[in-house]
Each structure stands twice: as structure tokens, then as C-alpha cells.
Amino acid sequence: MSASGGNKAIIAALAANLTIAALKFVAFALTRSSSMLAEGIHSVADSGNQVLLLVGGKRSKRQASPEHPFGYGRERYIYAFIVSIVLFSVGGLFALYEAYHKYLDPHPIEGSFWWVPLAVLVGAIIAEGFSFRTAIKESNHTRGTMSWVRFVRTAKSPELPVILLEDFGALLGLAFALFGVSMTLLTDNGMWDAAGTAMIGLLLVAIAAILAVETKSLLLGESASAVAVAKIEAAISDGGSNRIIHLKTLHLGPDELLVAAKISVESQESGAQIAADINRAEQRIRAAVPIATTIYLEPDLYDPQAASTPSANGSSTRPLPGND
């Protein structure tokens, strides 16, 4: 997933949320609708989250240093995790608090500006729809045939999944707010406004939890996708003389992959021949998987008995099919 595609979706969402937030706060000031206040805070939280994603993307591009020899690619994961915290606390918990406050004092929406929340919510749904469409369009460049659930769960770049979930949550939240405000206007009962606000809060807490779980997995360190691993295996064995004894991969960042493998060499080869084999294997790996920025290949003698036994750390030690 390109960083430019993620940034395009982030900027589109940021522009929409800043405009929508201002309109929601105006509607709240005129009507004192708790749903409008919750949605206004929701938009502010989303705007802050988008700024965090942009900052994380910029900081991740710093050059490696002696203290951080593998670079700063995981900064994007860290800022995405902060986004989940902000969405949970500033968005979700505040909305639930406001719902409880409105439940204790369920005043209806009164005055000549009763129509303002409806107009703002309809306009916000249209604006969020455009932002959501941009996120979908950018995601489709790399999603391929994967389902949306699988895409969110397996994407190594956090920006687009975060924006997708935020925009989807924003559209649902606006629908909940529209429901609460409309029912309050129809029944003159503020409890509907409180219910709409509570639904927004529960929705944001749920989305924040999903983001936290998925980003935590990225922070802990995920391996390359099955497709990338297959390409790496094929690249190593392409020379015909190398077998994979074991292979491990780790994402140092969305666009940086660490590849570590122990490969077989012939016992009669000289040190120069072994070094040449390893260099050629590295070139093939980088050609097959361009994000493989750090590669460590360790030569060893192939042992068929050991190759059929799983290693203690769970990675398989086996020859590739067709190399026996």
C-alpha cells in the first residue's frame, strides 16, 4: 500500500471532519442536542487522529541511527495505536458520559432552530460519504480480492484501515444522531436524544477496541504475507542449489521487511562460492519482494533428518518441494 494513497485518504477525511465539526458545534449551541455535541466531539477526535497519522507517517521516514539500526518504520504503528486510545477516550467515553447526562435531564429540542441539526447531519452524511468513497478507492488499489474484513485484519499499512473504520463509524454515528434528533423532534422526548448519543458512544468504543487489537499485532511484529513468503522461498531456490532450512520474516514497518533464513550450501564449496551464492539469492529476493530491505542469509549444510523435524521455535525446517 503506497504511503501517498494513505495520505490522500487521510487529507480528504481531515478536511471533511474539520468542516463537519464546526457545523455540529454550531448546531449544538443553537439546540443543546446531546447527539450533536457527541458528534462534534467525535469529529474533533477524528481530526486529531488524522493529524496523528500524518505525523506518524512523516516521522517513520527518518534515517536509521545507531540507537535504532532498523529505522523508524514502526512509528506508523505507534501513532495508529494512539489513534485507538484517542477514539476510545475522547470520542467513545465522552459520548457515553454525555448520554448519561442527557438521561438525567432529558430536555427536548426547542426553539426556532430545530431544523439546524437535521440540515447539519444530512450535510455531514454527504461529506463523510465522499471521504469514505476516497478511502475505499485508495484501498482497492491493494485490497485485490480480499474481503473488507480480511483487508482490515491483514493490512500492514495502518493508515487506510484506520480511515476506513473511522469513516464507516462516522457514517453510522451520523445515522444514530439523525435517529435520536428526529425522534426527539417527533415525540418531544429528550430520551431519544440520549439514546442516540449512547449508541454513538458504544459504536466508537467498539471501533477503538478493534483498532487497538489490530495495531497491537503490528506493534508486536507480524510476518510477511503468505504471498510474499512464497515469493521469497521461490527466489531463494531459484538458483537450484539452495534449500531453505528455515525462514523467518518480520515487518520493520509497512514498507520494510526483514528476511532471515538459513540456507543449504554444498560442502565442497569455497568461501568465495558461498558468498557469491548468498549475494545472488539476496538479489533475487529483492527483485521478487522489493520491500525486503534487510536480508540475513546464513549458510549451512543440509540435513534431511533435521529438515523433516519442526524446530523448537515453531518454524519449519524442511526442503522446498522438488528439491529432494
Side-chain angles (χ1 to χ4, degrees):
M1 182 183 303
S2 65
S4 60
N7 286 342
K8 183 177 180 180
I10 293 171
I11 293 171
L14 177 60
N17 278 315
L18 288 174
T19 303
I20 293 170
L23 294 175
K24 289 174 180 175
F25 283 125
V26 170
F28 166 71
L30 293 175
T31 63
R32 295 298 171 182
S33 166
S34 64
S35 293
M36 295 309 302
L37 178 59
E39 273 299 303
I41 296 298
H42 178 188
S43 294
V44 169
D46 281 353
S47 299
N49 289 340
Q50 282 125 32
V51 171
L52 285 171
L53 291 175
L54 290 173
V55 171
K58 183 175 181 180
R59 289 179 61 85
S60 69
K61 296 177 182 178
R62 289 179 294 166
Q63 294 295 319
S65 65
E67 293 81 11
H68 299 89
F70 291 110
Y72 294 84
R74 289 193 181 182
E75 289 255 24
R76 288 164 69 178
Y77 300 153
I78 293 171
Y79 278 85
F81 188 75
I82 295 174
V83 163
S84 68
I85 297 173
V86 172
L87 195 62
F88 176 80
S89 57
V90 178
L93 293 185
F94 179 85
L96 291 174
Y97 166 79
E98 184 61 25
Y100 177 72
H101 180 74
K102 187 62 178 281
Y103 171 78
L104 296 178
D105 181 22
H107 54 272
I109 298 174
E110 299 175 339
S112 59
F113 294 105
W114 60 267
W115 55 272
V116 172
L118 299 177
V120 169
L121 289 172
V122 171
I125 289 173
I126 295 172
E128 286 289 359
F130 280 111
S131 174
F132 192 39
R133 186 183 68 174
T134 300
I136 290 174
K137 181 179 178 181
E138 295 302 322
S139 298
N140 281 334
H141 293 322
T142 54
R143 184 174 67 92
T145 59
M146 286 190 292
S147 67
W148 286 108
V149 172
R150 181 167 177 78
F151 174 72
V152 169
R153 297 201 61 183
T154 61
K156 306 302 180 184
S157 298
E159 290 84 3
L160 283 178
V162 169
I163 295 299
L164 281 168
L165 285 174
E166 281 192 346
D167 285 351
F168 178 69
L171 285 171
L172 278 182
L174 289 167
F176 293 157
L178 186 60
F179 169 77
V181 170
S182 299
M183 292 302 296
T184 299
L185 291 172
L186 289 173
T187 64
D188 221 25
N189 185 349
M191 291 298 292
W192 289 107
D193 198 16
T197 307
M199 292 165 68
I200 294 169
L202 292 174
L203 171 69
L204 294 181
V205 168
I207 291 176
I210 293 171
L211 286 177
V213 170
E214 296 303 324
T215 311
K216 174 190 172 185
S217 179
L218 293 170
L219 280 171
L220 289 174
E222 288 189 355
S223 64
S225 67
V227 172
V229 170
K231 289 181 179 179
I232 293 169
E233 291 180 338
I236 291 175
S237 64
D238 189 48
S241 61
N242 298 126
R243 303 171 187 261
I244 297 177
I245 299 174
H246 68 70
L247 168 69
K248 290 187 178 181
T249 60
L250 178 69
H251 268 274
L252 303 173
D255 305 315
E256 299 171 85
L257 184 66
L258 168 67
V259 178
K262 180 177 287 190
I263 62 175
S264 68
V265 296
E266 299 298 329
S267 59
Q268 69 272 19
E269 284 186 306
S270 66
Q273 290 173 321
I274 292 173
D277 283 346
I278 289 176
N279 289 336
R280 285 192 294 268
E282 289 179 352
Q283 291 172 0
R284 294 194 300 268
I285 292 171
R286 288 193 171 93
V289 183
I291 66 170
T293 55
T294 305
I295 302 174
Y296 296 109
L297 299 181
E298 178 186 353
D300 202 349
L301 297 178
Y302 178 72
D303 182 352
Q305 184 174 359
S308 63
T309 306
S311 63
N313 56 22
S315 61
S316 61
T317 56
R318 77 267 186 254
L320 289 178
N323 281 347
D324 288 335

